[in-house]
Amino acid sequence: MSRKKSFELAKRVKDLPPYLFATIDKMKQKAINRGIDLIDLSVGDPDLPTPKHIVERMKKAVQKPAHHRYPSYEGMLSFRQAAAGWYKKRFRVSLDPETEVLSLIGSKEGIGHLPLAFLNPGDVVLVPSPGYPVYPVATLFAGAKSHIMPLVEKNDFLPDLKAIPKNILKKARLMFLNYPNNPTAAVAGRKFYEEVIKFAGKNNIIVCHDAAYSEIYYDNRRPMSFLQVPGAGDVGIEVHSLSKTYNMTGWRIGFAAGNAKVIAGLGKIKSNLDSGIFQAVQEAGIEALKTKEPVLRKLRDTYQERRDILYSGLKDLGLGVKKPKATFYLWTKVPQGYDSASFVRHLLNRAGVLITPGNGFGSSGEGYVRFALTVPTKRIRQAIRRIKKVL
Ligand SMILES: *Cc1c(COP(=O)(O)O)cnc(C)c1O
């Protein structure tokens, strides 16, 4: 093979920040190669299997020849009806499954494609920081610019909309929001959403609310949907994922719901770039959305037990941490004398515990680390004992 060609990467690729989890994976691999018994609290991927009834439905669905052909990009009507039915039952929100629901190959796909539908070079996207890294990357790929909305503790990790400069507002076309929030575990309420709807309407900004964690909540306090607030459907969409709710991260299925024009715009991009979700997975998704309450309660109880153990453990160690009301993350201040990266390295090398540096979610995450509750209680207790020894 000739080695002369350089195959120079496109500017949009060269401009990418290093993908957080790729860097962590390298550190993790090195530690494992050194023979460390690693406790991995870094990745937001549920450790529990997909519930059995969903797997069983998949087994049957995969045998149907009709499912072996191309699916439609927008999703089977029956899946979209199931999504609309779930919204009605869970949030008392009515959606037209034909025009207000769109299937996604995971919510990441929808978030990644949305900017391509609505942004031109020079446009601005309002992006929370710390936040899910796909928001600024999708913005970059569309040739637009991110304007960072810092999420700080004194503001309950909600963006300060009044702090966004006028010249930015003139160019802003889209805003990403995510509650319950990854990585801060913050939850938003009606008052904030009302403010967002007013702000978006006045400035003609599309809102994309990422609700991936709406079903991972504690103490029976169910987070609300953005779409429950009057006017939300006029300004934007909510993206949902089956990944976290039903332990289905590997299956790649989610959906967008809300404003029909935004849904149609996103659909336009999808119809040109992908061919939808394997229909057998959609059938399994329909089954997932019908999951009975006791199954879901058991999943939540598992996370709640882990949360309680990790929260009191970190608190006893003197670390600054709030008890999360939702998500499977604990957003924790690093102790004096460290920054995010050096604290992560210290715990990895000295304690064999891997967590995520807060600055990997954007510069506003500096000074924090994220613990994920995706390991059994025994390992969480072990992690706390190990951390105690090296603090
Ligand atoms: C996990 C996650 C998603 C992506 O989930 P999919 O598997 O692509 O549906 C989206 N947003 C946030 C904030 C997440 O943490």
Side-chain angles (χ1 to χ4, degrees), residues 44-45 104-111 131-135 178 180-183 210-213 239-244 248-250 252-255 328-329 370:
D45 189 352
L104 299 174
I105 310 171
S107 56
K108 185 178 191 175
E109 179 263 301
I111 293 163
Y132 189 52
V134 186
Y135 313 139
N178 163 224
N181 183 258
N182 175 13
D210 178 351
Y213 294 95
V239 289
H240 253 285
S241 171
L242 276 63
S243 289
K244 313 290 165 53
M248 290 177 78
T249 50
R252 311 313 302 137
I253 182 164
F255 60 93
F328 42 59
Y329 303 116
R370 189 192 74 178

Side-chain angles (χ1 to χ4, degrees), residues 303-323:
Y303 287 127
Q304 183 150 334
E305 191 190 2
R306 294 173 179 180
R307 176 201 67 163
D308 292 345
I309 292 167
L310 185 58
Y311 170 74
S312 54
L314 295 178
K315 195 120 188 91
D316 288 346
L317 294 177
L319 295 175
V321 59
K322 273 210 185 105
K323 199 181 216 177

Side-chain angles (χ1 to χ4, degrees), residues 23-83:
T23 318
I24 288 182
D25 274 347
K26 263 189 217 140
M27 280 170 64
K28 176 177 164 180
Q29 205 47 54
K30 269 193 202 151
I32 291 170
N33 291 347
R34 286 203 305 272
I36 288 175
D37 168 37
L38 189 78
I39 303 175
D40 188 356
L41 304 176
S42 74
V43 180
D45 189 352
D47 56 316
L48 299 166
T50 305
K52 207 168 157 225
H53 65 288
I54 302 170
V55 176
E56 290 305 320
R57 178 78 179 262
M58 180 69 184
K59 281 189 192 164
K60 289 201 192 94
V62 80
Q63 296 180 37
K64 294 185 191 165
H67 290 344
H68 301 169
R69 311 189 65 193
Y70 279 122
S72 64
Y73 79 89
E74 79 268 29
M76 293 158 78
L77 184 59
S78 53
F79 174 72
R80 289 178 287 147
Q81 282 166 337

Side-chain angles (χ1 to χ4, degrees), residues 86-192:
W86 182 82
Y87 249 84
K88 183 83 190 163
K89 191 162 163 237
R90 168 68 173 88
F91 299 119
R92 295 179 308 280
V93 168
S94 300
L95 295 164
D96 176 352
E98 306 228 23
T99 59
E100 295 176 327
V101 181
L102 178 68
S103 75
L104 299 174
I105 310 171
S107 56
K108 185 178 191 175
E109 179 263 301
I111 293 163
H113 281 152
L114 183 64
L116 291 179
F118 292 99
L119 300 174
N120 290 307
D123 288 343
V124 167
V125 179
L126 305 175
V127 169
S129 168
Y132 189 52
V134 186
Y135 313 139
V137 168
T139 300
L140 170 75
F141 282 179
K145 284 213 158 57
S146 291
H147 174 81
I148 298 300
M149 301 187 290
L151 307 184
V152 296
E153 187 161 358
K154 76 164 172 25
N155 219 359
D156 299 321
F157 300 109
L158 300 171
D160 180 2
L161 302 178
K162 290 189 282 299
I164 301 167
K166 278 221 171 64
N167 63 319
I168 295 292
L169 288 180
K170 262 191 245 150
K171 292 184 273 184
R173 305 266 344 258
L174 173 66
M175 168 161 71
F176 284 110
L177 292 172
N178 163 224
Y179 294 97
N181 183 258
N182 175 13
T184 68
V187 175
R190 180 176 295 274
K191 204 168 138 260
F192 173 69

